[in-house]
Amino acid sequence: RQYQRRVHGDALQSFGVTQAHELPSVCVAMRVWLFLSVLFLSGAEYQRFDGHKVLRLYNLTHTNVWDLEEMGCDIWRDHTALDKPSADVRVPPKLADTVTTYLTLQHVSWSVMVDDVQTLVEQEQTEEKPHKGAVGVGVDPFYGKYQTYEQTLAWAKALPTKYPKLASIVNIGKTYEGRELIAVKISSGSGAKSAIWLDALIHSREWITGAVVNYIIGSLLEQYGKNDTVTTLVDGIDWYAMPVFNADGVVYTHTKDRMWRKTRTPNVGSSCVGTDPNRNWDAHFGGCGTSNNPCSDSYRGPHAFSEPALAAVADWLYKEQMKNHKFRAYINFHSYSQLWMTPWGWTAQLPPDYSDMNALAGAATKALQAVHGTQFQHGSIARVIYCASGSSADWTYSNTSIKYSFGVELRDKGQYGFILPAREIIPSGEETLAAVTVMGQHVLKEWP
């Protein structure tokens, strides 16, 4: 598709360009592999994002979003299902000419949310020392920074030794590249109890999710016997928390490309790697909000559960649930946008339990807001954010009868996007723990 080379001067200047001929019109994504020496990647070959901007687009359609992705842009946020549609798009410098021309012709307005992505990447690991609160993890510095897969695995495996009466490791399976998939089980004893599942980093670039789940794990363990609320939650519920879901992708974000989202499974007949792991569940697989293009970040995969990590988690959850139907709640954590969402993702229709689901989502977000004032919106996935078939929350609700199945988008609303500074980890952990506490209390009340 050829676009007229008519670009407003102001639009070009927002990218530091004064003449149209300074940028080529060829629609290709720029990949420059240079040495990056920062705190968390010393000596690793790592993709840089110098000059990459994130634009917030207004009054656009989902077709516009697909067009921009086809050009080579990276879609950070797509809220085109809303009454006031918007999207956040990362634009490499060499695409600035093409993108701004396209947006002008499509009458799409925009503003610059992130002026230079590389600057955020380099600032991301700014640490904030954890502080001791009424409910929290004390002053352990582990919780105040983003951890690698290897660091998280080692930490998790040490928990049963540190908390022998509470913590154990559940082996779920392995990824395509052979990495271990584990969950931490937190339980004060045997007996017929309800269970709650939490998981993070299904989309590998959403680092805040893993840090928050680590924080929740640590808080439940550290505060048991010290805090009455936590003690009641652990005595009454078996907690399962998987801090790293898409392990192969997470390793790739720490070693090659901070913006990698998908799995790392090769695609037959394509040079593009990976599948979107939250479009690969067997819940209206291949429906709206998915792509059949292996190069798309929303590529659904060749068939449902083609990804070994997903197949392993789904198989484990299904078998466990069929034993005694003890799982009452499930949260698949994402970032960013500050949303607490229920099924369905595949349709704007509402599920049978929506009234109860949305009421709990409202109570959870109210408790969350009370901690630091952070406001979350709640409602069904398709109505609040966009249509997304083949999602985890749809599958756990429809296939395993986990009534309170949620997809939760954590901080922020776009100032940093996926590259949330480490100083945001503890506040995000504190407020999310408050919301999860309300959810746990509700489970105990509904299933005493």
Side-chain angles (χ1 to χ4, degrees), residues 340-403:
W340 200 288
M341 299 177 292
T342 78
W344 302 112
W346 66 272
T347 177
Q349 297 178 19
L350 300 175
D353 294 304
Y354 178 74
S355 179
D356 288 350
M357 290 174 167
N358 196 46
L360 180 52
T365 55
K366 183 178 180 180
L368 186 152
Q369 183 176 351
V371 179
H372 294 294
T374 310
Q375 295 183 347
F376 273 54
Q377 184 181 355
H378 59 90
S380 73
I381 297 168
R383 294 190 180 194
V384 168
I385 186 168
Y386 47 60
C387 186
S389 302
S391 72
S392 59
D394 279 7
W395 184 85
T396 55
Y397 177 69
S398 63
N399 290 61
T400 65
S401 300
I402 301 179
K403 179 178 178 180

Side-chain angles (χ1 to χ4, degrees), residues 195-379:
I196 291 176
W197 174 280
L198 313 173
D199 64 52
L201 288 168
I202 192 169
H203 286 148
S204 50
R205 63 186 175 184
E206 297 167 6
W207 283 8
I208 187 60
T209 66
V212 164
V213 168
N214 288 347
Y215 182 91
I216 293 172
I217 293 170
S219 296
L220 293 176
L221 292 170
E222 181 63 26
Q223 293 299 315
Y224 180 80
K226 303 173 185 176
N227 179 280
D228 291 343
T229 300
V230 170
T231 303
T232 299
L233 289 175
V234 174
D235 282 342
I237 298 170
D238 288 337
W239 295 81
Y240 295 82
M242 188 178 192
V244 183
F245 197 132
N246 177 13
D248 295 345
V250 168
V251 170
Y252 200 75
T253 63
H254 281 273
T255 58
K256 292 292 183 181
D257 183 349
R258 175 63 185 86
M259 290 296 102
W260 189 260
R261 165 184 165 100
K262 300 191 289 181
T263 66
R264 293 295 302 164
T265 309
N267 293 307
V268 177
S270 174
S271 60
C272 295
V273 174
T275 288
D276 183 340
N278 209 35
R279 302 293 183 275
N280 192 240
W281 298 75
D282 194 10
H284 292 267
F285 173 81
C288 61
T290 71
S291 173
N292 62 1
N293 178 2
C295 298
S296 169
D297 268 351
S298 297
Y299 176 54
R300 60 186 175 240
H303 56 81
F305 295 135
S306 62
E307 304 311 288
L310 268 70
V313 172
D315 183 63
W316 188 90
L317 273 173
Y318 183 82
K319 288 179 178 177
E320 284 295 307
Q321 188 70 333
M322 292 305 104
K323 290 178 183 178
N324 50 25
H325 294 275
K326 71 176 185 176
F327 280 95
R328 311 299 188 184
Y330 168 94
I331 301 180
N332 181 226
F333 283 106
H334 293 265
S335 73
Y336 58 98
S337 286
Q338 297 172 197
L339 305 170
W340 200 288
M341 299 177 292
T342 78
W344 302 112
W346 66 272
T347 177
Q349 297 178 19
L350 300 175
D353 294 304
Y354 178 74
S355 179
D356 288 350
M357 290 174 167
N358 196 46
L360 180 52
T365 55
K366 183 178 180 180
L368 186 152
Q369 183 176 351
V371 179
H372 294 294
T374 310
Q375 295 183 347
F376 273 54
Q377 184 181 355
H378 59 90

